[in-house]
Amino acid sequence: MWKKEITDTLKQTALVLSFLLLMPMIYLVNHFRFPEADLSFLWYIDWGISFLISFLALYLAYNMFSSEDSDDALNYIRSLPVNKWKLLAIKILPRLAVTLLLVFTYRYQIEYRFTLGVAGMSQSAMLLHRFTFLPNTGIFLMIMIAGFLLGISDRKNPFLVVALAIPVLYMILGEATIPRSMYVNTYHWWYGHFGYMSHNVWRSMIFLLTTFLQIYLPAIISFIVLIPVFKSWDASSGKIRSQRILKRMAAPLTLIIALFTLNQLHVF
């Protein structure tokens, strides 16, 4: 099974990355149509790669069970003497590894070009660079888990797709905030009990803790509550599993939407 999943992953990756062959044509067309823009070919390559890596993660996740769907073999997989957790790893790890390999390779060449003083980065390239730090690789893992859950249920259900996408989008778009009064009071409490600490160090600690509690924890909980659905995966209808997933995610998604709304209204 490992060989099949790795082969499928490489084929799907090659299909997505083949769109980079269109970059020279897009560059030439825009160069003649909008000469005043003065965008370099390197800018188009940056934009194309950053977009395709993001699209690749979504494409690999959504098509995780595409071959089983075409062969109507999902129930056959469940009949195999393979542990559910092992099957999860077989499906997710090759796709996650390919995505992270491309992400970190792209990040490395960006950093290398910065050392050479190369300018002209596209905004999309800089945005991707921001999300390649180790704590944020969890976003790609969440995408793959969402794709697996879609594959064993009803991935054509738009409500299920939206429900599984909300925690991932919240991890990307959500912003952690902490009231200044709370920041000051906690700093004075720390100073009173443990002594002096640099404000910069304290600010970083509070930011990391607040980010985890406000952003990552609610998103993680929305997937943790689905473990019983995964453990009880059997030959029952995918629509039934979809309903169970939506019911279990109702409360965590409500919390995420509330936190995001309050943040946008600057309540905190």
Side-chain angles (χ1 to χ4, degrees):
M1 292 187 68
W2 281 104
K3 182 179 179 180
K4 177 183 179 301
E5 294 304 324
I6 293 173
T7 302
D8 289 346
T9 300
L10 293 178
K11 288 181 180 178
Q12 294 171 357
T13 301
L15 176 63
V16 173
L17 295 184
S18 65
F19 284 95
L20 283 175
L21 299 176
L22 298 176
M23 286 299 107
M25 183 182 301
I26 295 175
Y27 167 73
L28 291 175
V29 170
N30 287 342
H31 179 71
F32 287 110
R33 288 185 60 192
F34 311 104
E36 67 279 1
D38 194 27
L39 296 175
S40 66
F41 179 67
L42 188 60
W43 187 94
Y44 283 88
I45 293 296
D46 281 333
W47 180 86
I49 294 177
S50 61
F51 172 78
L52 285 180
I53 289 178
S54 303
F55 178 77
L56 174 65
L58 298 175
Y59 183 81
L60 291 177
Y62 186 78
N63 290 283
M64 192 172 295
F65 285 90
S66 59
S67 59
E68 286 80 6
D69 286 346
S70 60
D71 298 333
D72 195 21
L74 187 59
N75 291 333
Y76 170 73
I77 288 182
R78 278 299 301 120
S79 66
L80 296 176
V82 179
N83 182 274
K84 295 177 182 178
W85 295 101
K86 182 178 180 180
L87 180 60
L88 178 70
I90 291 173
K91 283 290 185 180
I92 287 181
L93 290 183
R95 292 164 174 82
L96 181 63
V98 167
T99 303
L100 292 182
L101 177 62
L102 290 174
V103 167
F104 283 109
T105 301
Y106 185 50
R107 176 191 175 189
Y108 174 79
Q109 66 88 20
I110 287 178
E111 293 177 345
Y112 177 72
R113 285 161 53 193
F114 270 128
T115 62
L116 298 179
V118 178
M121 293 294 201
S122 67
Q123 290 184 354
S124 56
M126 295 305 299
L127 181 62
L128 180 65
H129 181 262
R130 173 188 170 191
F131 289 116
T132 54
F133 293 100
L134 184 60
N136 292 304
T137 57
I139 294 174
F140 293 102
L141 177 59
M142 297 276 278
I143 291 174
M144 297 305 164
I145 294 175
F148 184 91
L149 293 171
L150 279 174
I152 67 173
S153 51
D154 183 11
R155 66 191 182 109
K156 295 182 180 180
N157 186 333
F159 297 103
L160 184 61
V161 173
V162 171
L164 292 171
I166 288 177
V168 177
L169 291 174
Y170 183 63
M171 292 177 69
I172 297 174
L173 303 176
E175 296 181 1
T177 57
I178 180 172
R180 179 171 177 78
S181 59
M182 183 180 298
Y183 169 82
V184 173
N185 291 334
T186 53
Y187 180 80
H188 287 314
W189 176 87
W190 180 274
Y191 180 80
H193 288 78
F194 303 101
Y196 173 77
M197 177 183 290
S198 168
H199 278 280
N200 290 333
V201 175
W202 179 256
R203 186 180 298 110
S204 299
M205 289 177 56
I206 291 298
F207 174 76
L208 291 174
L209 178 61
T210 305
T211 299
F212 175 76
L213 293 177
Q214 291 188 11
I215 306 298
Y216 290 100
L217 186 59
I220 293 172
I221 290 176
S222 64
F223 279 83
I224 289 178
V225 298
L226 300 180
I227 292 179
V229 179
F230 168 71
K231 294 176 67 175
S232 63
W233 175 25
D234 52 25
S236 60
S237 170
K239 293 183 178 180
I240 295 177
R241 275 189 296 277
S242 298
Q243 295 173 359
R244 293 186 61 194
I245 290 175
L246 291 173
K247 289 179 180 179
R248 284 186 166 272
M249 294 188 75
L253 292 184
T254 301
L255 174 62
I256 288 175
I257 294 173
L259 288 173
F260 184 80
T261 302
L262 292 174
N263 182 271
Q264 294 302 306
L265 295 176
H266 303 289
V267 174
F268 296 118

